[in-house]
């Protein structure tokens, strides 16, 4: 995945708007078959826009935003290689760096999961399949998914990486009606 240029604005000591960061996000986590570039996270609303620190400066990826919060990230999924096996090394890396495996139905298959979020997802390049309990949806660049706390998985049936953007809003638990 190409690093995304992230421009963060703020206010300087003179009270003037300015650029406080211009470059890649420090929140890059590479899991091999998928890469996440966390861009920003808010812990709740209303937001303190000029709070110190960089909430994307993470060494672990939290699947969901904090309760009452939101997060914005880019993600890239490599093409499916036909394998359903996960190496012990890859599983160990994911368990170390990826917080939220409890949302997965099977910790050995981190693709199927459900989050307590409302997600706005846009596929920017490549192609992806959104797997649901009852069916699948083929996505092309420009397609938008509104993911409403349902059980799902993502996969890339193409021969090039697929990249998307996601904004996740904390939500009440989804109803299983």
């Amino acid at each position: 995945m190409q690093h995304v240029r992230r421009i963060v604005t703020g206010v300087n000591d003179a009270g003037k708007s300015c650029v406080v960061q211009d470059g890649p996000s420090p929140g890059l986590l590479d899991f091999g078959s998928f890469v996440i570039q966390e861009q920003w996270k808010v812990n709740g609303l209303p937001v303190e826009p000029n709070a110190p620190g960089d909430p994307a400066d993470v060494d672990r990826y939290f699947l969901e935003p904090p309760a009452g919060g939101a997060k914005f990230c880019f993600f890239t999924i490599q093409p499916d290689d036909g394998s359903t096996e996960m190496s012990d090394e890859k599983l160990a890396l994911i368990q170390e760096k990826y917080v939220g495996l409890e949302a997965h139905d099977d910790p050995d298959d981190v693709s199927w999961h459900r989050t307590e979020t409302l997600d706005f997802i846009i596929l920017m390049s490549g192609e992806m399949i959104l797997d649901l309990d009852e069916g699948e949806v083929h996505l092309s660049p420009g397609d938008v998914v509104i993911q409403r706390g349902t059980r799902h998985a993502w996969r890339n049936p193409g021969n090039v990486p697929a990249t998307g953007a996601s904004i996740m809003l904390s939500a009440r638990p989804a109803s299983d009606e």
Side-chain angles (χ1 to χ4, degrees), residues 6-168:
R6 183 182 73 148
I7 295 107
V8 179
T9 65
V11 177
N12 65 19
D13 293 338
K16 303 291 185 181
S17 61
C18 64
V19 171
V20 296
Q21 185 181 23
D22 184 347
S25 168
L28 174 68
L29 295 168
D30 188 342
F31 297 103
S33 61
F34 64 101
V35 176
I36 299 165
Q37 288 186 52
E38 186 142 320
Q39 300 299 310
W40 205 256
K41 177 177 60 176
V42 297
N43 292 323
L45 299 174
V47 174
E48 172 52 53
N50 290 307
D54 187 336
D57 191 1
V58 297
D59 62 355
R60 299 184 78 200
Y61 178 76
F62 289 80
L63 179 61
E64 296 184 18
K71 62 187 279 178
F72 170 49
C73 69
F74 290 96
F75 61 93
T76 296
I77 299 175
Q78 296 299 321
D80 290 341
D81 62 6
S83 169
T84 58
E85 297 293 317
M86 184 179 299
S87 72
D88 290 341
E89 295 80 21
K90 181 177 176 185
L91 183 59
L93 174 67
I94 290 171
Q95 289 172 333
E96 174 189 347
K97 298 285 186 182
Y98 197 96
V99 178
L101 286 176
E102 62 278 1
H104 296 281
D105 294 329
D106 178 354
D108 291 329
D109 180 359
V110 295
S111 58
W112 278 96
H113 61 286
R114 176 192 317 228
T115 57
E116 292 180 6
T117 59
L118 174 64
D119 307 342
F120 304 106
I121 301 159
I122 184 167
L123 183 61
M124 298 168 14
S125 65
E127 60 181 306
M128 288 182 19
I129 300 288
L130 168 60
D131 286 317
L132 300 167
D133 288 329
E134 294 189 358
E136 65 181 40
V137 180
H138 185 268
L139 303 171
S140 298
D143 288 347
V144 172
V145 175
I146 310 300
Q147 178 63 21
R148 303 187 315 159
T150 57
R151 186 177 179 283
H152 65 283
W154 302 100
R155 57 190 165 93
N156 178 348
N159 54 16
V160 298
T163 298
S166 174
I167 298 171
M168 300 176 75

